[in-house]
Structure formats: structure tokens, C-alpha cells
Amino acid sequence: MAKNIDPKLSNIEDYLKLDNGVIFSIPAYQRPYCWEIETCDKLWQDIMDKNNEIEGTDNYFFGTIIISCSNNDYVMNLIDGQQRTTTFILILKALLMRINEAILKFSKGDEESNTLLRNLSDKRRRIIEILYGIDKEEVSDIPDEGTDKQIYISRTILENNANNEDYSIDIKTILNSFTYEEAEKNVIHKFRLKNDNKYSYFFRNFKFFYNEKCNMSESNLNKVTKTILEKCEVIEIKSWDLDQAIKMFNSLNSDGQPLCDSDIISSLLYSEAKNQNVLDEFEKKWKLLRDIIKPLEEKKIISIDSLLMQEMYYERSKNGETINSSGSIDVTTPGLRKYYKSNQTFIRNPLISTDNLINLASIWEKASKYPNVKVLSKFNDNYKLFLASFFYRYKSDDIIDYNYLDGDQLSKEMIESLSETDIAELERKLLIKKDNDIIIECMLRLFTILELVDIGYSSNKFKTFLFGIERKLLNKSIPISEIKADFDNHISQNWPNKYDITEGIKNCEDHCLVFLNEYLFANENDVSFDLDEQYNIEHIMPASGKEIEGISIGAGMDNMDEFNLYVNKLGNKILLESKINQSVSNTWFRMKITSTLKENGYKDSKYPIAKYLVNKYTDAKDKQTWTKFDISTATDKSAERIVKFLYNE
């Protein structure tokens, strides 16, 4: 009789330890591995919560894994659970590398130290047995690169066959590597991308676990590894009928998504509101919050989860929870669910808490329309956590609507028609806007540098500094001038070499600098600037097209290698409305700036640099070409403009 289904509760060690010759497989129709660092951090936090509990408590359940087995039982197709399975494999590999490092530098000493060494060696053997299918009794206590490498390349635990996965080789590269440096060298590096963006999700998450989570003492390594192997559990449901496996997946995941943090936290607020007999009022407020959030979420400005994260950052900083016992900045943060379950003030005041979220969401609704915030949104999203803390200084009514400023509504005649009270209120709001602009530009300066230097957000030059400055951002008694001075001093002291920053700008191909350059150019020339809903990055000298060879020769390029060197420089890129960008397409520069096009050209754009190019070159009959000299000149000027902004000159 054919097998049907086989459900089993397993800890991670038993789940991942496959019989000889058996592998996990990601079917061709599955989505790619795509967990973000944020999701990995939540998973790790859940593990740490279990790790910090007392011995003997219940294990932690990480959900259901649905597996479709092949007829010969040697291929375990992951129908539901590839993200978790892959991530646990990456965690174990990061732990293995750290354990190997710990063992190699371990000095034998007293009995307690020797016991710890034996425990680490035991964890090493167990992880190798899981990842590489070799009996742990055959694994040596002491790591040896030559011997271990032979083990690593002898077996594959996971094959990713997803059609949309472009970097499946990376998981194999990571597993085959003896050291982190070897893995980093051999994984795929995406062309023209910087920092972590140049890596696949496989290596990005592996790097996160290795550098930020598994870098711990020998005793903690031993304890955490034990927790992961023995205390973390899944229900694995094996089916020998693919249709049946997919039906189970659809039944257990009707919307294809697990419960998010906001679902759990809102249920806690809902329960408390019910207990306080204010459920009707709470439901109205929560609906209002969702109505405000919905269009902002569609535009990827904020979501309920990100709003709750911002609230948590604000509360922890306000309460001094970001300062450790020694008085130093502590950048570790708890998971959202854990924080709000333990934060009784927030949960026990469902109406007040929801009002605070509504106020913050309403401020974001207004602030997101300002050009400087739109430009800032093109950089690292972590700025929102700290800008939100600054927003807590205000009520949403304090923030003037951008549409009120973007037009003739502040004309002399209009102001003269206002009462003295209205004028005083308007002046108050304009002063608030001025303060907001200062803080937004401080954030923009710091996060621009983040794009230009070869250190990440988690560095103390960014994350630690921002955690420290956050306490001032939310404190109404701290003047804006003091906060700005802190940013000025931090930037000048940590990046005093302007030449390196200038060269970084000239060699940077990230599009975020295009938005910044356009914004600064507008300010420099006292012209208006805003971002349409539909816009594109326009290459003045086209990056492709039928006439590209002639255009490159006309631009003074000696060969295509030189063309490729210039085409993505900052000076060759501007902003353009999508419709106009499609119209000018890959035409010659002289066509883009003149009025001879049947469709729209640069002359019809509202963006300042496009308008500047039209004014400068249209009447220059002998100079209607765009050359490598023009690109170099524009790049140099752009770099100079941005450096002046970064250093507040």
C-alpha cells in the first residue's frame, strides 16, 4: 500500500539530519530565497528568548514544514519551509565556523575549561554530521582545513532548483568553505553594487549571523548551539502525493503569509480594550489607523509593523533602555512581540497607545510629501526609526501640509488677509518646518556617507551614533542647533578626508546620489524641486540602443570599455518624467534638448538639471553634443556640490 502522510514533531537536529544520500530540494516552481535581515533577526531573537530561559522549560515551535517525498524517498521537496530550512542551515554553518575558531585558539587549563572544550568539539561533530552526512564519530575533535574541506565537498544537504533563483550556487559555496573569508571571496558579487547589496540573500544572511550573532564567547557558543539543536522544534509533515502536499500548504497558509507582529500586538490591545469595556472606541481608532496607513504602505513609506518598531525605539530611548549599566550605548533591540508583551504600559492603555500611533502615522502622511523626505527615502530605510523619534516632539496639526506651500497659497495677498492669530500660527508652523528641514538634512548627510564608505549601518559610526543622538531628537528641551552641531562634529571627525569622499562620489553608481544631486542643484539655483509619482533615471548619453556605437564615438569614446566606464557616472544621470524618458529613449543628445522631437523632450521636463541642459545647449549651435568631457565636468561639479552639503560648507 502506498504511503500517505507522516507527521512528526522534531527538533532542528533531528529534522536536518538526513539519512545517507537524502537531500532537501527546492522545487523549480518555488520562489527564490528572499528572507531579509529583519526576518533573520526576528528568528534569532526568538531563539535567544528560548536560550535565556531556565532549563526544563518547553521547547520553541518554529512552525510546520511540508515535504513532498519522491518515490525513492531520497529527495525531500520543500513545499512549505524553504526559507526557514535554508536559514537554519546558514545559522549552523556560521556557528560551525565560530566553533572551529574557538577550538583552534583554545588553551587547555582547569577541568571546567577542558569540559567546555569537549562540549565545543561535540557540537562541532554534531553540526558536521547534520550538514555533511558523515557519522559524528568519524569527525576529529580539532578542525583541520585539509581534512574538513574533503568532508565539506563530499555532500550537498540542500539543492535549490527554483527557476527564479539566480544565486543558488552561493549556498553550496558557503557550505564548502572552511573560513568566512573563503566564503566571502568565492560567493557571487553583484556587478556595480556596494556594501551588502552586492551579495545574494544567502551570503547576506550568513554574514549577518557570522558577524553579528555568532560572534560570542566559547560558553555562549556552546549554549546557543545546544538551544538551536535541541530546543527549537518544527512539525515536519511528509507526503508522498504532491497534490496532497500543496493542498495541506494552502489549508495551513490560506493567505500565504504567517501572522505578522502587528496582528499579534493588535490582538493584545483588542483583548485589553475588551476588558476595559472600550472595545467599540478602540475598533474605530484602529480602523482609522489602518485607513491612514494603507496608502502609505502601498507607497512603501510605512506599515503598521514599522510604526510599531518606531514606537518601540522611541519608548526605549525615552526610558533610557538604550544605555547599559556602564553608561555606554546599547544598540541591541528586543523583538517586537517580546517587547510589547512585556511593555504593560502600552498594552494596558489601548486607546492612548492607538492615538499615539495615529498621530505618528498622520505626521508621516504629511512629511512623506516633502521633497527632502522623498530624497531621504532613496537611502537606507533605518533613518525612519530615528526621524520618527524626532516627530514625537509634535502633534500632526503642528506639521504644515506641503500642498499649502507648493503653490500660491502663501502669496502676499493671502498673508495680508489673515488675522494676527492666524499669522502667528502660520509662523509657528513654518518655524517647525524649518527645524524639521534641518534634522532631515542631517539624516540625509549621514546616510549619504553610509552609501559612500565601506562600512555598514551596524558600525558604531552609524548605528551607535544614531542611538545616542536619538535621546536628543525626542527631547523638546534640546535645541535643534545642538543636534545639528552633533551631526557636524560627528561627520567632520569620522570622515575628515574629503578627497576620499569626493572620489567615492565620482565612482559611485548608486541611483540615490542622482536624487540627492538633483535636490541640491535645485537648492543651489533657487528653483523648485519635487518628485513625481512616475519618474526614471535618465542617461544623458544612452546606455543602450541601436545608435549606441555612433553616439559613443560622437562622445569621444575610444572603445566600449571606455564607454562603459563613463555611461553610469553621476554626471551622466539625471531625473526625468517617465513619459519624457520613454519619448527621448536612446536618441542623440541634440535631439533630447531641442524642440524637434514629435513627443516630449528635456524642454518639457520640470526637473532642474534637464531644464538647465536645455537652456545651456539649445542655442549653442556648435556644441550640441554630449561628450566624455561633459560627463567628467558634470561629475566633478556634482561631487563638489555633494561634498559641500555633507560637510555643511
Side-chain angles (χ1 to χ4, degrees):
M1 182 176 178
K3 295 180 181 178
N4 192 7
I5 63 171
D6 180 19
K8 181 182 178 183
L9 177 64
S10 303
N11 61 32
I12 290 299
E13 182 172 28
D14 290 337
Y15 165 59
L16 292 177
K17 190 163 62 177
L18 303 177
D19 293 335
N20 188 34
V22 180
I23 62 168
F24 290 112
S25 175
I26 311 301
Y29 51 81
Q30 284 279 28
R31 61 176 177 166
Y33 179 64
C34 59
W35 265 19
E36 300 278 357
I37 294 296
E38 181 182 1
T39 309
C40 291
D41 197 23
K42 287 180 181 179
L43 175 69
W44 185 265
Q45 188 61 54
D46 287 340
I47 294 171
M48 289 302 100
D49 289 346
K50 176 55 57 182
N51 183 67
N52 294 331
E53 289 180 359
I54 60 174
E55 249 344 271
T57 55
D58 293 336
N59 293 350
Y60 196 93
F61 179 60
F62 282 90
T64 301
I65 306 289
I66 299 177
I67 298 169
S68 173
C69 299
S70 62
N71 291 332
N72 58 19
D73 291 351
Y74 284 112
V75 178
M76 311 267 280
N77 289 298
L78 292 169
I79 306 302
D80 182 29
Q82 72 137 316
Q83 307 290 329
R84 282 167 290 160
T85 301
T86 304
T87 303
F88 272 113
I89 289 172
L90 293 173
I91 290 174
L92 290 181
K93 181 62 178 182
L95 284 168
L96 175 61
M97 284 186 176
R98 287 298 185 185
I99 289 171
N100 284 344
E101 293 166 7
I103 292 173
L104 288 173
K105 67 179 182 181
F106 210 97
S107 298
K108 291 186 178 181
D110 55 23
E111 183 57 31
E112 184 177 348
S113 297
N114 293 337
T115 299
L116 178 56
L117 178 59
R118 288 194 297 272
N119 286 333
L120 287 173
S121 296
D122 174 66
K123 301 303 184 300
R124 160 182 152 79
R125 292 194 301 270
R126 288 165 67 180
I127 294 176
I128 289 178
E129 183 176 39
I130 292 168
L131 296 181
Y132 305 102
I134 184 171
D135 192 303
K136 65 181 180 181
E137 301 302 324
E138 299 178 21
V139 180
S140 64
D141 287 348
I142 306 301
D144 175 80
E145 182 171 359
T147 304
D148 286 3
K149 283 280 289 182
Q150 289 300 313
I151 294 173
Y152 294 171
I153 65 176
S154 66
R155 186 235 191 171
T156 299
I157 185 176
L158 174 70
E159 285 186 354
N160 193 312
N161 300 305
N163 289 332
N164 294 323
E165 180 57 77
D166 296 325
Y167 307 101
S168 58
I169 189 63
D170 272 2
I171 183 69
K172 185 175 183 180
T173 301
I174 293 167
L175 289 172
N176 286 356
S177 298
F178 183 73
T179 64
Y180 170 84
E181 290 75 16
E182 178 187 357
E184 198 281 334
K185 177 183 177 182
N186 293 325
V187 293
I188 295 172
H189 292 63
K190 299 178 187 177
F191 185 57
R192 290 179 177 166
L193 295 181
K194 291 187 63 179
N195 299 329
D196 283 352
N197 291 329
K198 66 186 176 185
Y199 301 123
S200 68
Y201 284 106
F202 295 109
F203 188 77
R204 197 180 308 177
N205 293 342
F206 170 71
K207 177 184 177 186
F208 170 73
F209 291 124
Y210 177 84
N211 283 337
E212 295 195 31
K213 299 304 178 183
C214 299
N215 189 10
M216 58 183 74
S217 67
E218 292 89 348
S219 59
N220 281 338
L221 267 176
N222 180 59
K223 184 180 178 183
V224 169
T225 305
K226 179 181 175 67
T227 296
I228 292 173
L229 295 179
E230 300 176 7
K231 292 288 186 179
C232 300
E233 292 182 334
V234 296
I235 293 178
E236 51 176 321
I237 303 178
K238 296 179 183 177
S239 172
W240 282 260
D241 184 323
L242 178 59
D243 290 339
Q244 181 187 59
I246 292 175
K247 286 178 181 177
M248 283 191 292
F249 169 74
N250 292 334
S251 175
L252 293 171
N253 301 275
S254 59
D255 61 355
Q257 296 290 334
L259 286 174
C260 59
D261 289 325
S262 59
D263 294 323
I264 303 298
I265 295 163
S266 65
S267 70
L268 296 174
L269 292 169
Y270 182 97
S271 178
E272 185 63 31
K274 187 176 181 180
N275 292 337
Q276 296 180 18
N277 295 318
V278 293
L279 184 57
D280 287 346
E281 189 176 356
F282 169 76
E283 287 180 333
K284 290 177 183 177
K285 289 179 181 292
W286 196 260
K287 182 180 183 304
L288 174 60
L289 176 63
R290 287 198 171 276
D291 288 343
I292 297 171
I293 287 290
K294 185 177 180 180
L296 298 174
E297 191 168 18
E298 290 173 352
K299 295 177 182 179
K300 298 183 178 180
I301 296 169
I302 53 169
S303 64
I304 297 284
D305 280 78
S306 63
L307 207 65
L308 287 166
M309 181 70 76
Q310 293 165 22
E311 165 75 17
M312 181 184 76
Y313 266 62
Y314 165 76
E315 289 291 341
R316 294 186 72 247
S317 185
K318 182 183 70 172
N319 297 332
E321 297 172 40
T322 56
I323 305 296
N324 60 30
S325 58
S326 65
S328 300
I329 301 295
D330 184 0
V331 299
T332 58
T333 54
L336 276 183
R337 299 182 193 185
K338 178 183 178 182
Y339 176 77
Y340 283 106
K341 284 180 180 179
S342 63
N343 185 346
Q344 294 302 303
T345 301
F346 184 88
I347 298 301
R348 287 179 179 173
N349 294 278
L351 299 183
I352 295 175
S353 296
T354 307
D355 280 338
N356 290 338
L357 295 177
I358 289 171
N359 182 68
L360 182 56
S362 299
I363 292 177
W364 274 116
E365 183 182 33
K366 292 182 177 181
S368 64
K369 296 175 183 177
Y370 281 90
N372 50 12
V373 176
K374 290 181 180 179
V375 173
L376 182 55
S377 70
K378 304 304 176 185
F379 291 79
N380 187 298
D381 251 9
N382 283 298
Y383 80 87
K384 295 175 182 176
L385 297 168
F386 306 98
L387 187 56
S389 289
F390 179 71
F391 286 160
Y392 269 99
R393 290 185 176 214
Y394 308 112
K395 297 296 182 184
S396 62
D397 289 342
D398 294 331
I399 309 300
I400 195 168
D401 196 306
Y402 178 68
N403 294 331
Y404 190 78
L405 301 172
D406 187 29
D408 299 325
Q409 297 185 62
L410 282 181
S411 63
K412 181 179 179 182
E413 293 77 11
M414 187 277 291
I415 293 176
E416 289 176 348
S417 68
L418 296 176
S419 67
E420 289 185 6
T421 302
D422 289 338
I423 290 176
E425 177 65 7
L426 176 60
E427 289 176 345
R428 184 184 73 86
K429 289 185 176 181
L430 289 174
L431 285 174
I432 290 174
K433 181 186 179 299
K434 184 178 179 181
D435 287 345
N436 284 341
D437 287 342
I438 292 172
I439 297 302
I440 289 165
E441 291 206 345
C442 284
M443 293 284 183
L444 187 51
R445 292 161 60 200
L446 186 65
F447 280 94
T448 298
I449 290 177
L450 177 59
E451 294 294 324
L452 298 173
V453 297
D454 201 21
I455 54 175
Y457 164 74
S458 296
S459 160
N460 60 5
K461 294 183 179 180
F462 296 104
K463 191 174 183 179
T464 305
F465 169 74
L466 287 165
F467 266 74
I469 204 74
E470 184 181 21
R471 302 185 72 195
K472 292 187 176 183
L473 288 169
L474 57 85
N475 189 337
K476 291 182 180 181
S477 67
I478 304 293
I480 302 302
S481 58
E482 180 178 330
I483 299 173
K484 180 179 178 297
D486 286 344
F487 274 90
D488 292 345
N489 293 334
H490 181 73
I491 289 172
S492 62
Q493 290 173 10
N494 285 282
W495 297 281
N497 192 330
K498 295 180 185 178
Y499 175 80
D500 287 347
I501 296 296
T502 302
E503 290 303 302
I505 295 168
K506 291 180 182 180
N507 294 316
C508 181
E509 297 182 355
D510 292 346
H511 287 341
C512 56
L513 291 189
V514 180
F515 296 95
L516 176 61
N517 186 49
E518 199 91 34
Y519 169 73
L520 296 177
F521 181 89
N523 290 346
E524 185 180 284
N525 292 275
D526 197 24
V527 296
S528 63
F529 170 80
D530 196 10
L531 285 173
D532 281 337
E533 290 292 325
Q534 300 293 327
Y535 54 81
N536 291 129
I537 301 294
E538 155 76 353
H539 288 75
I540 304 172
M541 180 179 71
S544 60
K546 294 180 180 179
E547 298 184 276
I548 197 63
E549 185 175 350
I551 290 174
S552 65
I553 293 173
M557 305 298 171
D558 293 332
N559 50 56
M560 291 309 294
D561 287 338
E562 188 175 32
F563 169 83
N564 291 329
L565 181 66
Y566 276 86
V567 72
N568 283 303
K569 283 186 175 294
L570 180 58
N572 192 50
K573 293 186 287 191
I574 61 173
L575 291 177
L576 210 58
E577 295 83 349
S578 296
K579 183 178 180 181
I580 299 177
N581 180 254
Q582 293 168 6
S583 173
V584 299
S585 187
N586 299 317
T587 58
W588 291 74
F589 177 65
R590 62 176 176 271
M591 299 293 290
K592 295 181 179 185
I593 61 171
T594 61
S595 58
T596 57
L597 286 173
K598 295 180 180 179
E599 302 291 338
N600 296 327
Y602 284 9
K603 62 183 176 58
D604 302 295
S605 176
K606 74 170 188 177
Y607 288 111
I609 297 182
K611 293 167 68 174
Y612 165 79
L613 291 173
V614 171
N615 293 333
K616 180 177 181 180
Y617 288 101
T618 298
D619 295 330
K621 301 299 182 182
D622 60 337
K623 184 66 173 69
Q624 288 189 346
T625 57
W626 185 253
T627 68
K628 64 182 180 182
F629 173 79
D630 295 301
I631 295 173
S632 293
T633 301
T635 300
D636 290 345
K637 288 182 177 179
S638 298
E640 181 183 3
R641 180 181 300 121
I642 293 173
V643 167
K644 285 183 177 180
F645 170 70
L646 296 180
Y647 290 92
N648 193 35
E649 296 176 347

